[in-house]
Amino acid sequence: MKTNLFRSIRNVGLFAVLTGVVAQMALAQQLQTNPTQIDQTNPAAGAAMDTYSGIYQTPWFNEPSIRQQLQMNDAQYDQLNQAYVTNWNRYNARINQIRNDKTLDSQQREDRLEQLNNSFHDSFSNSARSVLADEAARQKYNQMYYQYRGYGAFYDPDVQQKLNLSETQRQSIREAGRQWNRQMGRYNRDYVSDPDVVLKRFNESRSEYSEGLKKILTPQQEEQWREIAGNRFEIPANVYFDNGVTTAKPVLK
């Protein structure tokens, strides 16, 4: 009986080992055939694969200091947050389709992601207009949103119309915006491990962004843009980079 018992135990142990080996082989095969696994709840998880979008599941205006600067009441926040969630759900479903589409080359994927990002911002901006009925509140919100988006703000139809951008200027802004997003993608990747260094580089990039605009816009357009964007708001860096891992909230100076 003892012999049979030991034999059974040995067989069970061998079965467990074989099961573990098979599981590891299956996992290795899965990773080999599908090496990039995108987090369905966080599009920013694909930042190493794609350029930066700045569109997270948690809205940028959720940051307490931003809500304070915007003087947004609870009712406005709740409505705006619901509009954001609705738009984000559509965005998240589509972005994973694009990222997992193996028929697209890198340039086509970047084009599709850029179109999707602009579509998200246009749709959400329309929602914000209906939520923020007060003109002064809406203007302040738009100004901060423009500042938050950087080059992306110049894709806004209202901004393009007010500045009367030429086709050459639009192409220059598009290329500058793509370079900016690639750089931001690297910052986003490195922020968790070394936030101080990234913050320093990010501040340097912000200065380069301002200088870059001067090379694209005419002096008259620069003045118009300052009126459109308003006074500079303090936007914490974690709004750009934090994926829920880092709690530090350094403020841009």
Side-chain angles (χ1 to χ4, degrees):
M1 181 179 297
K2 289 183 178 180
T3 301
N4 291 336
L5 178 60
F6 291 146
R7 185 177 299 166
S8 299
I9 293 173
R10 183 178 60 187
N11 290 339
V12 170
L14 179 60
F15 177 76
V17 171
L18 290 174
T19 302
V21 171
V22 171
Q24 289 180 353
M25 292 175 63
L27 177 60
Q29 180 65 25
Q30 181 183 5
L31 292 175
Q32 193 173 38
T33 57
N34 187 17
T36 304
Q37 296 293 325
I38 301 299
D39 182 357
Q40 296 291 330
T41 63
N42 185 9
M49 174 183 173
D50 305 307
T51 55
Y52 175 86
S53 69
I55 302 173
Y56 297 107
Q57 185 172 11
T58 301
W60 63 277
F61 53 83
N62 183 64
E63 163 62 40
S65 66
I66 291 179
R67 289 185 62 180
Q68 184 178 10
Q69 291 178 78
L70 290 175
Q71 298 178 329
M72 189 182 301
N73 60 45
D74 291 341
Q76 290 174 325
Y77 173 80
D78 290 342
Q79 294 179 57
L80 201 60
N81 184 64
Q82 183 56 53
Y84 186 95
V85 169
T86 299
N87 283 279
W88 185 88
N89 285 336
R90 289 197 296 262
Y91 168 85
N92 187 47
R94 184 66 184 125
I95 198 171
N96 283 291
Q97 292 174 0
I98 295 174
R99 283 173 168 163
N100 294 322
D101 189 344
K102 297 181 180 180
T103 66
L104 301 176
D105 60 31
S106 59
Q107 185 60 58
Q108 290 172 326
R109 181 174 287 106
E110 187 174 31
D111 290 340
R112 297 284 182 85
L113 289 172
E114 183 179 90
Q115 293 170 4
L116 179 63
N117 292 343
N118 293 334
S119 177
F120 170 88
H121 287 296
D122 289 344
S123 178
F124 178 63
S125 293
N126 289 333
S127 301
R129 291 188 187 98
S130 62
V131 172
L132 302 173
D134 180 73
E135 184 176 353
R138 187 168 61 250
Q139 181 183 32
K140 181 179 290 188
Y141 170 84
N142 287 338
Q143 288 174 341
M144 181 173 275
Y145 196 29
Y146 289 147
Q147 293 180 33
Y148 169 71
R149 291 185 62 188
Y151 283 108
F154 294 90
Y155 288 101
D156 188 286
D158 290 340
V159 173
Q160 291 184 349
Q161 183 178 14
K162 291 177 180 177
L163 295 180
N164 193 26
L165 297 173
S166 68
E167 185 59 33
T168 300
Q169 287 177 313
R170 295 186 188 194
Q171 289 296 329
S172 297
I173 287 173
R174 185 182 187 190
E175 181 55 35
R178 286 188 168 188
Q179 293 178 8
W180 170 268
N181 287 339
R182 295 184 191 114
Q183 182 66 47
M184 290 290 285
R186 291 189 288 270
Y187 290 162
N188 187 60
R189 179 194 62 204
D190 298 338
Y191 182 72
V192 173
S193 60
D194 204 345
D196 292 335
V197 171
V198 169
L199 181 59
K200 179 181 178 181
R201 293 176 180 172
F202 177 57
N203 283 325
E204 293 172 352
S205 296
R206 293 279 292 184
S207 299
E208 293 171 1
Y209 159 76
S210 300
E211 292 300 317
L213 282 182
K214 293 180 180 179
K215 297 178 181 179
I216 298 173
L217 303 179
T218 66
Q220 182 180 1
Q221 288 172 326
E222 281 189 70
E223 182 63 30
Q224 291 174 315
W225 171 242
R226 282 193 289 268
E227 293 178 2
I228 293 172
N231 297 327
R232 184 174 178 178
F233 290 93
E234 291 187 346
I235 302 179
N238 67 295
V239 174
Y240 291 94
F241 304 122
D242 192 2
N243 297 332
V245 178
T246 305
T247 57
K249 303 183 183 300
V251 177
L252 299 178
K253 296 297 184 181

